[in-house]
Amino acid sequence: MKNNKLYDFIGILFSFLCGIHCIVTPILIINFPALGEKFESPWVQSVLLFLIAGIFYQSVYKSFKLHKSKLTLSLGISGFSILIFTYLFELFSGHDAHEATAHHHDESLTIALAIVGSVLMISSHLFNIKFCKCKEN
C-alpha cells in the first residue's frame, strides 16, 4: 500500500499542476505570447492527461478492489471525464479562444470546468488514501 500512497501523492501533484496550467496559460498568453503559446501546446495538455490517467489507474482504480469505495472511483472518473471534455473542447473548438474576445465566456467556462475536474481528481486521491488506510488497520 505504500506504493499506492506514493501514486496518490503524485496524482494529487499532477492534478494540481493541471489546474494551475489552466489558470496560468491565459495570463502567459496575454503577457508573454511566445511562452504562452508553448505552454498552451496540445502536447503539454496531452502529456498531463496521460500522466494523470496512468497514475489514477495505478492508485485509485487498483485500490478500488480493496476498499470498494464507489465515491472514490466516481470522483476520479468524473474529474478525468471533465478534464478530457475541456481538452477536447479546446482542441476542436475551431477558434483561438484566447485571442477572440467574443469567446471569452467559453474560455472562462473551460477554465472553470478544468479546475473542477482537477479538484475532483485531487479529492479522489485523498479519499483513496483515507480508505486504503482504513483497510490496512
Side-chain angles (χ1 to χ4, degrees):
M1 282 289 121
K2 286 185 181 184
N3 281 343
N4 227 29
K5 197 172 188 180
L6 177 62
Y7 280 121
D8 281 316
F9 284 122
I10 293 170
I12 290 167
L13 174 67
F14 278 107
S15 297
F16 178 75
L17 288 175
C18 186
I20 294 298
H21 173 265
C22 293
I23 294 168
V24 170
T25 299
I27 296 167
L28 286 176
I29 287 173
I30 292 167
N31 296 311
F32 308 101
L35 179 61
E37 286 179 21
K38 288 182 182 10
F39 206 65
E40 186 187 33
S41 164
W43 289 103
V44 172
Q45 295 169 339
S46 297
V47 167
L48 269 174
L49 287 173
F50 180 76
L51 290 170
I52 288 169
I55 294 165
F56 176 76
Y57 175 77
Q58 285 296 326
S59 61
V60 177
Y61 185 74
K62 284 187 172 182
S63 296
F64 177 73
K65 297 171 191 167
L66 174 69
H67 57 62
K68 303 211 184 334
S69 169
K70 292 179 184 172
L71 173 65
T72 304
L73 191 62
S74 298
L75 286 170
I77 290 172
S78 298
F80 191 70
S81 297
I82 291 170
L83 292 176
I84 291 292
F85 170 78
T86 57
Y87 170 71
L88 293 174
F89 181 79
E90 280 283 320
L91 196 61
F92 297 113
S93 63
H95 65 273
D96 188 350
H98 299 292
E99 291 180 13
T101 56
H103 300 290
H104 175 70
H105 296 293
D106 288 350
E107 183 67 17
S108 297
L109 180 62
T110 303
I111 292 169
L113 282 173
I115 291 169
V116 167
S118 294
V119 169
L120 289 174
M121 292 297 297
I122 291 168
S123 299
S124 176
H125 286 291
L126 290 172
F127 276 114
N128 195 52
I129 291 168
K130 176 184 174 185
F131 289 128
C132 285
K133 238 184 239 182
C134 289
K135 291 297 179 181
E136 286 176 355
N137 296 332

